[in-house]
Amino acid sequence: MSRARLRDLGISIGRLPPGPQNAITDVPGVWVGHTTLIYDEPRVARTGVTVIVPEEGAIWQQHLPAGFHIFNGNGEMTGLAWLEEAGLLTSPIALTNTHQVGMVRDALVAYAHRAGIAQAWDLPVVAETYDGWLNDIEAFHLGAEHLDSAMAAASPGPVAEGNVGGGTGTICHEFKGGIGTASRHMELLGATYHLGALVQANYGLRHQLRLDGVPIGQLIDAQVVPTPQAQTPGAGSILVVLATDAPLIPLQCRRLARRATVGLARAGGLGHNSSGDLFLAFSTGNRLASGTAGALLRLEMLPHGALDSLFEAAAEATEEAILNSLTAAETLKGKQGRVAHELPLDQLATLWNAARQGTANR
C-alpha cells in the first residue's frame, strides 16, 4: 500500500471537522517549508530543517501573542526567555536536529538581516529533536543555505509530511516517524476559527502507540515489522506547534499549548525522562506592529469560558498530526545500515476497523 494520510485510509478521529487542507496552513497566513537532506557520501545524511512562517513572512514586523509549555525538558527551544517575558512570537519557527540548533538560529537571524528586516536584535525560535540513530549527526550536514531554502519553499496549501525537513531522520513509537500536521475548525461566538498543529515526532515506545484508543502498537507483529535495534528505548522527543486565528492573549496561548499534552497522551506519549516534549502556541487573531512603543495597543480576546472548543481542537489536531507523521513516513535505512520501518497501513486500517466493529457489536 502506498503511503497515505490517516483520513485517506478511511480513519477519522475526534469530533471537530478538519480544515480544507487538514494542516496548520489552514490558519490564514501560516506557511510551511522544508529542506530535506538524504545522501550517503561523504557521510550519511538523514536530516533537514522545517520552518513555520506566520503572517506570510511578515512576522518580524507583525508580532503575535504566543505561549509555550514544557512537558518534559530534555530538549531545546531557543527564544523562550523573551517569549515568556513579552508573550510575543517575533520570528518564524524552525525545527531541526539537536546538534544544529545554534547554526539554524544564527542562519535565521542572518536571513532577516539580508532581507532588510530592520531590528536592533533577534531572538528567533528554533527547536530540535535527535536524529542521530539514522543520521550521522556529528557530520553537521546543515548549512545556512539549507535554512534559506526552507524559507524560500515556505508556502500555504498542502504540507509535505513524513520523511521531510526536521523529521527526515526521526523515529516515533519505534516506527519511522517524521513531520505531521492536522487542523480543526469551529464556531465560537458567531465566528469561524481555525486551529492547526504541526509535529516533529521522534518519541515513544511501540507498545504504547494508540489509534483512537486502540492499542495499535501491541497488535502489529514485531516479527513482521521489526523495531529498531540498539536504539535506547523511549529516547527521543516531540515538538508541537499550534496556530490559531482565534483572538487570544499570551496567557491564553500558554493555556492552549498545554493541551498538546492531551493529544500526545491519546497517541501513547507519556513524557519519558529522556524526551524533550516542547509545545508552542501562537495566535494570528491579534497583531502587534514592531516598534510601537509610543502608541496605545488594543487587543481582542475570547473569554476564558469560550476556550474549551479550542482546547478540544488542540488535543484532536495534535493526536492526528502525530498519526499523520507515522502514516506518511516511509521505511528508511541510515547510518551503519540501521533501518526504521514504516507503520504498515494495511494492518493499521484492518485493526482499526475490527476494533470499531467490535465496539459496535457490544
Side-chain angles (χ1 to χ4, degrees):
M1 178 180 289
S2 61
R3 307 310 286 169
R5 307 191 78 195
L6 194 67
R7 290 175 186 258
D8 296 333
L9 302 172
I11 301 174
S12 298
I13 63 172
R15 181 186 68 87
L16 297 170
Q21 304 294 340
N22 195 16
I24 195 171
T25 50
D26 285 327
V27 178
V30 176
W31 294 355
V32 174
H34 306 290
T35 296
T36 303
L37 300 184
I38 299 178
Y39 54 79
D40 293 335
E41 298 294 340
R43 295 171 69 171
V44 175
R46 304 288 188 271
T47 195
V49 59
T50 293
V51 293
I52 301 164
V53 185
E55 295 298 282
E56 300 181 355
I59 180 64
W60 278 287
Q61 297 94 351
Q62 297 192 117
H63 300 166
L64 301 176
F68 66 91
H69 177 63
I70 299 173
F71 180 46
N72 197 71
N74 191 1
E76 181 63 89
M77 182 180 283
T78 69
L80 292 190
W82 177 239
L83 198 153
E84 172 72 11
E85 185 74 20
L88 295 175
L89 179 67
T90 62
S91 75
I93 301 160
L95 313 179
T96 189
N97 75 62
T98 305
H99 288 182
Q100 300 214 255
V101 171
M103 188 286 298
V104 172
R105 179 247 180 232
D106 291 352
L108 199 49
V109 173
Y111 177 94
H113 283 261
R114 284 199 313 275
I117 298 166
Q119 293 193 139
W121 45 265
D122 293 289
L123 294 170
V125 174
V126 179
E128 55 77 28
T129 63
Y130 182 76
D131 59 15
W133 197 77
L134 289 172
N135 174 50
D136 186 353
I137 197 168
E138 278 99 21
F140 302 101
H141 299 286
L142 290 165
E145 68 275 15
H146 299 117
L147 180 279
D148 293 349
S149 294
M151 289 294 295
S155 64
V159 175
E161 295 171 292
N163 302 0
V164 294
T168 302
T170 62
I171 297 166
C172 183
H173 286 285
E174 300 184 285
F175 297 99
K176 182 66 187 72
I179 297 292
T181 189
S183 73
R184 296 293 187 267
H185 69 86
M186 69 221 80
E187 299 292 326
L188 290 173
L189 304 181
T192 300
Y193 296 114
H194 305 82
L195 180 140
L198 185 141
V199 306
Q200 184 166 297
N202 188 52
Y203 75 95
L205 296 172
R206 180 171 179 152
H207 72 268
Q208 293 164 348
L209 176 62
R210 304 182 74 84
L211 167 57
D212 202 22
V214 180
I216 208 78
Q218 299 177 30
L219 300 175
I220 295 173
D221 190 346
Q223 299 300 315
V224 177
V225 185
T227 58
Q229 298 301 308
Q231 186 195 26
T232 304
S237 304
I238 181 169
L239 306 172
V240 182
V241 178
L242 301 174
T244 183
D245 55 359
L248 304 180
I249 60 173
L251 170 64
Q252 294 175 315
C253 290
R254 187 161 68 247
R255 296 184 69 197
L256 185 63
R258 291 194 192 109
R259 270 57 186 190
T261 311
V262 180
L264 173 62
R266 289 178 179 177
L270 53 80
H272 284 95
N273 174 68
S274 60
S275 192
D277 306 328
L278 309 178
F279 314 144
L280 185 148
F282 66 88
S283 166
T284 66
N286 285 299
R287 298 173 174 86
L288 292 86
S290 175
T292 54
L296 184 66
L297 302 175
R298 298 186 183 277
L299 304 179
E300 290 187 332
M301 61 176 280
L302 290 175
H304 289 310
L307 294 181
D308 284 346
S309 290
L310 272 178
F311 293 164
E312 183 177 6
E316 288 188 7
T318 299
E319 179 186 13
E320 187 164 344
I322 292 168
L323 294 165
N324 278 335
S325 79
L326 285 161
T327 62
E330 301 178 37
T331 296
L332 189 64
K333 184 176 181 180
K335 184 176 71 173
Q336 298 176 6
R338 297 166 175 170
V339 180
H341 293 275
E342 65 196 30
L343 186 68
L345 302 187
D346 50 353
Q347 291 187 53
L348 184 73
T350 298
L351 292 169
W352 185 77
N353 285 323
R356 286 197 67 192
Q357 187 64 34
T359 301
N361 290 336
R362 282 207 294 266

